[in-house]
Amino acid sequence: MSIYQFFRSPVLVPSVGIGLVILSAFAVMNTQTAKSLPDPIVTNSSIASEGKEVAVFAGGCFWGMEGVFEHVKGVNKVVSGFAGGSAATAYYDQVSEGNTDHAEVVQITYDPAQISYGQLLKIFFAVAHDPTQKDRQGPDVGRQYRSAIFFVNDDQQKIAQNYIQQLTQANIFSSAIVTELSPLREFYSAEAYHQDFMARNPSYPYVVIHDRPKLEQLKRQFADIYVN
């Protein structure tokens, strides 16, 4: 078990003071600078303008991803879970081993009349994670932490492909975008103790070091759609 797996264990909750000291030493080497990105040129105008839609993104630990999108206007619900592998291995202990084909993901249910799929992608690439890290995200290493978009229809696939191309051509990032695009075959909810983790554990060392800064960036860069 790595030091970060230790601090992500649901049963090993260290004191905040000690945890911050130890994690801070590692976090210095894994600091991500949030990016100011252009709006997607291609919007989801062909997707229904009312009702509910679902987006599924993977970008490292789902605690922070969930915490970010829970504060976005137009988002009705965010669930942490797994995608990419089979039902038989859709359990945190197994996924953490890194050989199940699953990624830690968030399933975002949103109102397309209030926020577009393109806007969600912009947040995903700008503040929710670093799309240039291959099979890892900051301190978390393994295929389960890959950057990925699991599209649920052809519209989402096209929008995501075009936006990645747009960002690449604009040289937004100093390294190549490695985000994978895959069709969503099935989404599996993670265990109950992972749900709303950031909101329920605001002082947890891992959350303080790696997740709360993302929320602050969301508040600064997307003030018009940030909700408490």
Side-chain angles (χ1 to χ4, degrees):
M1 176 182 287
S2 70
I3 188 170
Y4 283 97
Q5 288 174 319
F6 178 88
F7 282 111
R8 287 198 62 203
S9 170
V11 294
L12 299 174
V13 182
S15 69
V16 173
I18 295 175
L20 288 177
V21 170
I22 297 175
L23 282 176
S24 294
F26 288 85
V28 170
M29 299 181 291
N30 294 290
T31 301
Q32 174 193 339
T33 301
K35 299 290 184 180
S36 179
L37 307 185
D39 292 326
I41 294 175
V42 177
T43 64
N44 56 333
S45 57
S46 60
I47 297 178
S49 60
E50 57 184 38
K52 293 182 179 180
E53 296 289 339
V54 171
V56 177
F57 300 144
C61 171
F62 43 32
W63 294 347
M65 292 277 290
E66 181 188 61
V68 166
F69 286 104
E70 283 182 332
H71 288 271
V72 175
K73 181 181 179 181
V75 170
N76 305 119
K77 184 178 182 181
V78 187
V79 180
S80 290
F82 313 106
S86 69
T89 59
Y91 300 95
Y92 182 71
D93 288 346
Q94 294 185 52
V95 173
S96 295
E97 296 298 321
N99 55 11
T100 66
D101 288 332
H102 277 298
E104 291 194 14
V105 302
V106 288
Q107 180 192 65
I108 304 162
T109 303
Y110 66 99
D111 180 358
Q114 297 187 61
I115 188 167
S116 69
Y117 185 70
Q119 288 175 300
L120 293 176
L121 283 176
K122 183 177 179 180
I123 294 169
F124 173 66
F125 283 108
V127 301
H129 86 306
D130 182 350
T132 68
Q133 295 193 4
K134 178 72 172 177
D135 292 340
R136 68 172 297 163
Q137 199 62 209
D140 299 311
V141 180
R143 281 283 292 160
Q144 68 272 33
Y145 301 115
R146 64 189 180 272
S147 172
I149 296 168
F150 291 88
F151 54 87
V152 302
N153 53 44
D154 292 341
D155 284 310
Q156 288 189 357
Q157 181 183 17
K158 180 180 179 181
I159 295 165
Q161 287 175 332
N162 287 347
Y163 195 43
I164 290 174
Q165 182 179 15
Q166 179 184 345
L167 296 178
T168 299
Q169 292 177 343
N171 293 314
I172 298 297
F173 299 96
S174 58
S175 300
I177 294 173
V178 296
T179 305
E180 300 177 9
L181 271 66
S182 302
L184 180 68
R185 294 184 174 86
E186 193 67 55
F187 168 81
Y188 305 96
S189 296
E191 293 82 350
Y193 58 78
H194 287 299
Q195 308 303 330
D196 300 313
F197 191 92
M198 186 173 170
R200 292 186 294 102
N201 301 276
S203 298
Y204 195 73
Y206 184 99
V207 169
V208 172
I209 294 295
H210 297 290
D211 295 337
R212 274 175 32 188
K214 297 178 183 180
L215 197 57
E216 293 303 314
Q217 288 292 346
L218 177 72
K219 189 183 301 185
R220 284 193 289 269
Q221 291 193 29
F222 298 90
D224 57 329
I225 56 174
Y226 176 88
V227 293
N228 288 319

